[in-house]
Amino acid sequence: MDRVLLKLSGEALAGSAKKGLDNETVRKVARQVKEITDAGIRVGIVIGGGNFWRGDEHEAEIERTKGDQIGMLATVMNCIYVSEVFRGEGIGTEICTPFAIGAFTHLYSKDFAMKALSEGKVVFFAGGTGHPYFSTDTATVLRALEIEADTILMAKSIDGVYDKDPAKYADAKRFDRITIDEVVKKELGVIDAAAAVMVKENHMPLFVFDLNAENAIAMAAKGLAVGTEVVPD
């Protein structure tokens, strides 16, 4: 595996508080990413914004377009913070957004991202796609395709894909392997429908695993983590 797109759940980075960012959790992520970049794997990262903002919780008072814009800015805050923690661990980083934010980030282009990756830097893709009605799931698959990633690693607060919510049902069963068609048909909520179509049409594999498991990111990059492989066919 030469190049991966790591999708981090904002809620998972918040730790037990479920809001904001937990510094020790982020540092653990940074150390694992350093391990795999030191091994020569190039890493792009997308971070969700749910630890700061969830539009569905405010849909009664905030118009959808504005709510999505707030969500995009939440992902930018996450990426700036996590990027600085990475730098503190000795990892070179760049942050790209699909819209200009002064000197805070670089305006996204594939050429810039690929150059930074080739230099061994971790590239954060913040701000989603830059458009409302598209989730960070869609941004994740889009950027993975653009940087020609070998796979998408989806780090969540749960250790894979289940047939039903394991927090509610004791008999929930985890899939070791499942197709993207089954994910959509069974409405398992791994990624949204638009992202699922892109996964299928472009044959992009992804792996879902628990961020909080011991050394989970490094293990996932080596194909050794416990989780669920979601295949496009």
Side-chain angles (χ1 to χ4, degrees):
M1 196 176 296
D2 298 318
R3 191 177 301 131
V4 300
L5 195 295
L6 175 63
K7 167 67 185 303
L8 296 170
S9 158
E11 291 97 326
L13 292 179
S16 59
K18 304 299 181 185
K19 292 287 185 181
L21 287 154
D22 179 70
N23 192 59
E24 187 51 39
T25 299
V26 176
R27 289 198 178 280
K28 286 179 181 177
V29 169
R31 293 176 192 131
Q32 293 179 66
V33 172
K34 188 172 193 307
E35 179 181 334
I36 62 177
T37 56
D38 285 350
I41 297 174
R42 304 310 184 204
V43 181
I45 295 180
V46 171
I47 307 176
N51 53 323
F52 285 117
W53 177 264
R54 297 195 64 86
D56 55 1
E57 295 176 356
H58 302 274
E59 59 188 4
E61 65 268 19
I62 302 291
E63 189 266 329
R64 172 65 186 269
T65 297
K66 297 304 180 185
D68 285 357
Q69 289 171 347
I70 296 169
M72 292 176 212
L73 294 177
T75 72
V76 174
M77 291 193 296
N78 278 340
C79 285
I80 291 173
Y81 181 97
V82 176
S83 171
E84 282 305 295
V85 174
F86 274 39
R87 287 171 179 261
E89 294 293 329
I91 306 170
T93 66
E94 298 287 0
I95 306 172
C96 294
T97 48
F99 42 79
I101 314 182
F104 289 14
T105 67
H106 294 276
L107 188 62
Y108 171 76
S109 77
K110 176 177 177 176
D111 289 344
F112 178 85
M114 295 297 277
K115 183 175 186 297
L117 289 168
S118 72
E119 294 169 351
K121 295 178 180 178
V122 171
V123 180
F124 290 85
F125 300 107
T129 66
H131 300 283
Y133 296 93
F134 291 96
S135 71
T136 51
D137 288 342
T138 305
T140 295
V141 181
L142 175 63
R143 299 303 181 222
L145 293 170
E146 288 180 311
I147 67 170
E148 301 166 33
D150 297 307
T151 191
I152 296 169
L153 302 179
M154 300 194 76
K156 294 179 171 283
S157 54
I158 187 172
D159 64 342
V161 180
Y162 284 78
D163 61 348
K164 49 191 169 184
D165 188 347
K168 297 179 180 178
Y169 303 97
D171 62 343
K173 296 180 180 179
R174 191 186 70 221
F175 298 97
D176 293 326
R177 192 174 189 269
I178 190 170
T179 67
I180 194 65
D181 282 340
E182 289 178 288
V183 166
V184 173
K185 182 179 179 180
K186 297 177 186 292
E187 299 182 344
L188 299 178
V190 179
I191 57 176
D192 65 35
V197 169
M198 294 174 67
V199 163
K200 181 175 176 60
E201 290 186 348
N202 295 279
H203 309 287
M204 174 59 69
L206 58 97
F207 185 76
V208 182
F209 63 100
D210 182 5
L211 175 64
N212 298 308
E214 185 67 26
N215 213 30
I217 295 170
M219 296 290 281
K222 297 172 185 176
L224 301 173
V226 172
T228 301
E229 179 186 9
V230 181
V231 294
D233 300 305

